[in-house]
Amino acid sequence: MKLLPPGLKRRPHVSPIWAVPGVAALVALWLVYTTLSAQGPRITITFATADGLEAGKTQIKHNNVQLGVVETVELSQDLSHVVVRARMLKTASRHLNEGTRFWVVRPRLSLTNFSGLETLVAGGHIEMDPGTGAYAEAFTGLELPPVVRADVPGREFVLMTPKLGALGPGSPIYFRGIQVGEVLGYDFAAAEQDIAVHAFVRAPYDTLVREGTRFWSASGISLTPGGQGFKFQIESLQAVISGGIAFETPDTAQGAEPAKEGTVFALLDDHESVAESAYTVHARYRVEFEGSVHGLDPGAPVEFKGVKVGRVVDVHLEFDPRGNIVRVPVTIELERQHLQQSADTPLPPGASLTAVLIEHGMRAQLRSSSLITGQLYVALDIFPRAPPDKLDTSGPVPRIPTVPGDLEGITTSLTTVLDKISALPLDQLVRDLDATLQSYQRVADMPELRQSMHSLSQALAAAESLMRNADTQAGPLLASLRKTSDAAQDAIAHADETLASVNSGYGDDSQVRRDLTALLRQFQDAARSVKALADSLEQHPEALVRGR
């Protein structure tokens, strides 16, 4: 051991090996700092179930980029939902707002949508859709993916309808056959209120929606008869399956400004209702029909000379205890823009067009719109032979007079005929007919009648035998007559020769010539008579027995 000089002390010796733990500590501190500085906030998301979630493995993504990971999955204290706690990256902090939405991506199969199929291989994850609003760390997860992401440009409108039909989240919205948006959802506040359907129209089609735009349900298949046959109309197969909405803007509203976000519109039943919605001036009237109104329902059309001018609003019963009468009043609503007066012949001051038409014979009548379905409608028409009447304004609703319908008139006529038949003394007629038949039967059973019939039969047999004999003997007689006719012709020929000889001997003006001429005329007449008799007997040999 080497001794140090006096007055000098030994300096402590630090081994370089101690630098290794120091460096390791510094690296650890740096890693801790880096990890802590890179960590984002810890958020809480509540879901109805934990299907597809796994602590420490399930990731939170946006556009397939990881933004966080699930740390724990626990049940709530009341066991009603699942509480998911997740650690987010620091870069995702600025997107954690009140409007941010989370949902679990899992395979979803429906008639109109297939999504999340990639999770069958890669596993499920939580999708994040950044929103707007104040910073938040507690969220309620969605059970279904949102129809439209928050970053899709467009506008949301509210459509009010009394019935939802087949509409639901994801139902398409069409403009001239092009899908331009989707239904986000609906709100149902109370039974007496309409349903609010939230419709989203993507840009740039959202500028096509204006204050006068008309929306209607395009969920069904339209089959309407027309002058050229049946017209089949369908928006798309998807609209038939999942419901759909279509809209158009009338020409009168093209110059208006685009509708603002959240504007409320009415959702009409079909495209035909769009044309009817243009008529805003309505008037209600009351009509009373005799007999049954089976087949007449609210909503049935009211037509004037084949043109639809309104609809049936209400059909009900009224009992009048004073006369013990049950009435069936029908309330109709007419669109006044359909009935316009001529500018050349203005109405008298204070007179209404309906009252003037009634004075000229306008009446209401029930008519059948389909013999197959039995549906009825109210027809307004001019009946020149109708009794004089006028518009009754004594009640709260003016009353239009009516005339019996075609079916009702036929029924009345049949009833009248049946009443007349029932008034006939049918029992007496039947008894008289029976007595007459019995009298005929007694006459037929008399022995004298039987003997007369037997004698008549014998007489007919004798006549038939005589006819056969006459037919047999007629042949020789006709031959004899023909021979006689031929002999007469020969005699006439000889007489002509003799006359020629005498003429040459005695002259044209002798007495002998005149006598011979008369004799020849008689022979000619006789020959013609014999020939006519022979021809007649040849055609009608029975004349020998019966005569001419």
Side-chain angles (χ1 to χ4, degrees), residues 137 188 190 254 310 384 470 481:
E137 292 184 351
F188 187 67
Q254 291 293 341
L481 288 175

Side-chain angles (χ1 to χ4, degrees), residues 10 138 164 270 288 301 345 444 478:
R10 185 181 298 271
L164 188 63
D270 47 36
E288 295 181 3
T345 55
L478 291 175

Side-chain angles (χ1 to χ4, degrees), residues 233-473:
Q233 185 176 2
I234 179 175
E235 196 71 36
S236 70
L237 182 60
Q238 182 181 0
V240 174
I241 297 175
S242 61
I245 296 175
F247 71 90
E248 68 178 17
T249 301
D251 295 337
T252 55
Q254 291 293 341
E257 294 292 330
K260 297 181 180 179
E261 179 94 5
T263 303
V264 179
F265 296 91
L267 180 60
L268 305 176
D269 293 336
D270 47 36
H271 189 261
E272 294 181 358
S273 303
V274 175
E276 297 179 2
S277 64
Y279 300 99
T280 57
V281 182
H282 302 89
R284 292 196 173 187
Y285 296 92
R286 174 187 174 117
V287 292
E288 295 181 3
F289 297 103
E290 297 180 0
S292 174
V293 294
H294 177 69
L296 184 66
D297 301 321
V302 178
E303 297 183 359
F304 185 49
K305 290 192 173 297
V307 179
K308 185 178 179 181
V309 296
R311 63 187 181 93
V312 175
V313 177
D314 180 61
V315 180
H316 64 276
L317 295 173
E318 284 186 0
F319 175 69
D320 186 1
R322 293 175 299 179
N324 196 21
I325 300 174
V326 178
R327 298 188 179 92
V328 187
V330 178
T331 304
I332 62 175
E333 189 176 66
L334 301 183
E335 299 162 353
R336 289 187 173 180
Q337 288 113 322
H338 278 298
L339 297 174
Q340 299 180 3
Q341 66 187 50
S342 175
D344 299 334
T345 55
L347 296 176
S352 66
L353 180 59
T354 305
V356 173
L357 288 173
I358 291 175
E359 293 177 358
H360 285 77
M362 187 184 77
R363 300 291 185 270
Q365 185 184 49
L366 274 181
R367 293 180 183 176
S368 175
S369 61
S370 174
L371 296 177
I372 299 176
T373 61
Q375 295 297 313
L376 301 178
Y377 71 97
V378 178
L380 300 177
D381 210 335
I382 302 297
F383 296 88
R385 298 182 181 180
D389 209 332
K390 62 180 181 178
L391 183 66
D392 186 2
T393 58
S394 59
V397 179
R399 184 179 65 84
I400 297 177
T402 62
V403 294
D406 297 336
L407 295 178
E408 186 176 352
I410 295 174
T411 303
T412 304
S413 301
L414 291 176
T415 303
T416 304
V417 173
L418 292 176
D419 291 340
K420 291 182 179 179
I421 293 175
S422 62
L424 295 175
L426 296 179
D427 295 339
Q428 184 64 33
L429 292 176
V430 171
R431 286 195 296 269
D432 294 344
L433 180 61
D434 183 62
T436 302
L437 292 176
Q438 291 179 2
S439 299
Y440 284 140
Q441 184 65 32
R442 287 194 297 270
V443 171
D445 294 338
M446 293 176 62
E448 294 82 356
L449 182 60
R450 293 179 181 274
Q451 183 64 33
S452 299
M453 295 298 293
H454 181 69
S455 300
L456 180 60
S457 177
Q458 291 179 348
L460 292 175
E464 183 179 1
S465 176
L466 180 61
M467 289 295 297
R468 286 197 298 269
N469 294 332
D471 190 21
T472 304
Q473 296 176 3

